[in-house]
Amino acid sequence: MTRPYNFSAGPSTLPESVLNKAAAQMLDYEGTGQSVMEMSHRSEEFKKILNDTEALLREIMNVPDNYNVLFLQGGATTQFSAIPMNLMTGSGKADYVVSGLWSKKATKEAQRYGDIKIVATSEDKNFYYAPKFDKSQFRPDADYFYYCMNETVHGNIIREIPDTGNVPIVCDISSCVLSEPIDVTKFDMVYGGAQKNMAPAGVTFIIYKKGLIKKPMDLIPTMLDYDKQAAAGSMLNTPPCYTIYMCKLVLEWVKKAGGLEAMKIRSETKAKILYNFLDNSEIFTAPVPKEDRSLMNVPFFSTSPELDAEFVKAAREAGFVNLKGHSSTGGMRASLYNGMPIEGVEALVEFMKKFEEEHKKNV
Ligand SMILES: Cc1ncc(COP(=O)(O)O)c(C=O)c1O
């Protein structure tokens, strides 16, 4: 069987060696005679898997001891409500940046719980740039400041970590986690769905400073209460055991490959190959300006929706799958997560060159 190159935005391609290891351990995890899928989450074997996963994540991301690390269910979307329920209990105010579909959804959800101010947005240009912040717009009495570092649908990245004074910073890093080093100490909370760079779907990581939560809202569901989850070691109920195990295998792979500095080089190399081609193409364009471009998610367009559809179809037939853009944007999007080898991007660009040659005469 030949594996296609999978450019899905998530769930996404995983390193082949990780899948092979999971396959080899499927029926017998380290001599236990059991699959990890079958183990009790209270067993010593699984507790070790969970502890090892947390230790690896702390080591790779350089997470200090004064931060809690949680592995929960519910996805990043559940945190859109859990964040205000845990944190918006002082002034009842929070400041949000709306830089794409995901921060827009997070903002909309937070508006159900308190007074939300949008301090910057790039919606005027369909989110195809990273908005700049004006510090004077931040409210010094806000309970927290929220933004999404890498907008998966629109392909922009906010590189500047804002100066918010004493206001805690909460950041969605779903689609850029593990792609390059992130200084966790600059944030009070970072979180995300793991189904892009970290694991299959099913687990959400939450990394937050101990003492951040003063008093959650009275009606917060127990499962969304971060401090209660931390006290229970992410095990208030049955955790997503197998996904956590897969996360451990991915983290082992990242460590062996050289950690986040090595991932950064890989990410930059892959992104450069694709953006260079797009910037010089006669039929394809990348909508995000150079300084705001995501290394992980590359949206692009051809000259018409019809040609976009033809390209996506031809690419799929040639072994490049999941290149169709998000339903809200149209066009195409190539996600270049860690599991995508450099050769995959090189092969895609070769294919695009051929497609361009065949179609530019019709433009
Ligand atoms: C940046 C970002 N935030 C949040 C989400 C929502 O994640 P989930 O599906 O885990 O709720 C996604 C999903 O693609 C995302 O890319």
Side-chain angles (χ1 to χ4, degrees):
M1 185 204 67
T2 318
R3 272 163 65 77
Y5 288 120
N6 177 4
F7 293 90
S8 169
S12 51
T13 193
L14 290 165
E16 207 169 314
S17 62
V18 165
L19 296 175
N20 280 328
K21 182 151 187 194
Q25 294 187 324
M26 179 55 77
L27 291 178
D28 180 11
Y29 177 72
E30 293 191 349
T32 58
Q34 299 164 59
S35 171
V36 177
M37 287 190 193
E38 305 169 303
M39 279 177 187
S40 161
H41 61 294
R42 305 280 174 201
S43 66
E44 287 312 311
E45 289 86 356
F46 181 72
K47 276 191 202 152
K48 182 164 173 5
I49 291 173
L50 182 59
N51 290 341
D52 289 352
T53 309
E54 177 177 336
L56 270 167
L57 187 63
R58 282 184 182 276
E59 181 187 341
I60 290 169
M61 287 187 70
N62 218 352
V63 179
D65 289 344
N66 64 329
Y67 282 67
N68 287 319
V69 174
L70 308 179
F71 295 102
L72 304 182
Q73 304 200 38
T77 305
T78 299
Q79 315 321 313
F80 296 169
S81 17
I83 289 163
M85 287 188 128
N86 277 282
L87 293 177
M88 212 164 36
T89 54
S91 63
K93 298 177 186 174
D95 289 351
Y96 274 64
V97 171
V98 179
S99 55
L101 179 114
W102 294 109
S103 48
K104 189 172 177 177
K105 279 182 192 273
T107 305
K108 205 163 166 226
E109 187 66 16
Q111 281 165 338
R112 301 178 60 208
Y113 298 95
D115 170 2
I116 303 301
K117 177 174 179 187
I118 297 173
V119 291
T121 178
S122 50
E123 194 159 15
D124 60 330
K125 289 191 183 156
N126 292 328
F127 299 120
Y128 285 131
Y129 70 99
K132 301 283 168 280
F133 312 120
D134 178 356
K135 200 181 157 191
S136 67
Q137 289 179 303
F138 295 157
R139 296 180 294 185
D141 62 338
D143 289 327
Y144 63 94
F145 168 81
Y146 180 100
Y147 73 106
C148 174
M149 190 176 291
N150 185 84
E151 280 285 358
T152 320
V153 171
H154 296 94
N156 71 58
I157 186 159
I158 295 176
R159 293 216 164 262
E160 179 196 343
I161 303 173
D163 172 10
T164 57
N166 291 326
V167 177
I169 303 181
V170 176
C171 191
D172 176 354
I173 58 166
S174 298
S175 48
C176 54
V177 65
L178 304 183
S179 65
E180 59 181 299
I182 290 174
D183 185 352
V184 173
T185 64
K186 296 252 160 61
F187 299 88
D188 296 84
M189 170 172 163
V190 289
Y191 79 98
Q195 66 274 16
K196 294 151 198 313
N197 249 345
M198 234 183 183
V203 71
T204 316
F205 64 91
I206 293 160
I207 303 172
Y208 73 100
K209 215 182 233 172
K210 292 176 184 167
L212 171 67
I213 300 158
K214 304 290 177 261
K215 188 189 174 305
M217 290 182 181
D218 289 339
L219 274 175
I220 188 171
T222 306
M223 287 295 292
L224 303 188
D225 185 320
Y226 294 147
D227 278 351
K228 286 195 177 142
Q229 285 285 9
S234 299
M235 287 228 247
L236 276 177
N237 75 334
T238 316
C241 303
Y242 195 76
T243 315
I244 291 171
Y245 155 76
M246 288 297 294
C247 182
K248 176 170 106 73
L249 298 190
V250 171
L251 291 168
E252 284 168 354
W253 177 87
V254 170
K255 186 176 168 181
K256 202 166 155 210
L260 297 189
E261 287 298 343
M263 292 302 121
K264 181 176 194 279
I265 294 168
R266 269 173 76 93
S267 305
E268 287 174 348
T269 306
K270 287 184 284 181
K272 197 168 161 199
I273 294 168
L274 184 51
Y275 284 121
N276 271 354
F277 168 72
L278 291 170
D279 287 341
N280 293 298
S281 168
E282 286 178 46
I283 65 165
F284 294 109
T285 46
V288 179
K290 284 190 178 140
E291 63 277 13
D292 295 336
R293 284 175 176 173
S294 163
L295 298 180
M296 291 291 100
N297 310 100
V298 182
F300 59 96
F301 293 87
S302 74
T303 49
S304 68
E306 293 71 31
L307 195 58
D308 289 347
E310 193 181 330
F311 172 76
V312 170
K313 184 167 177 284
R316 189 171 54 238
E317 283 162 7
F320 305 96
V321 299
N322 292 315
L323 281 164
K324 193 169 186 282
H326 191 266
S327 54
S328 65
T329 62
M332 279 74 68
R333 172 177 47 163
S335 293
L336 312 178
Y337 298 123
N338 291 344
M340 172 59 61
I342 293 172
E343 306 84 72
V345 186
E346 287 169 342
L348 174 66
V349 165
E350 280 314 304
F351 173 77
M352 290 173 79
K353 278 184 188 157
K354 251 181 65 203
F355 187 88
E356 176 166 333
E357 278 311 307
E358 285 159 14
H359 292 81
K360 69 181 178 192
K361 52 187 173 295
N362 304 325
V363 174

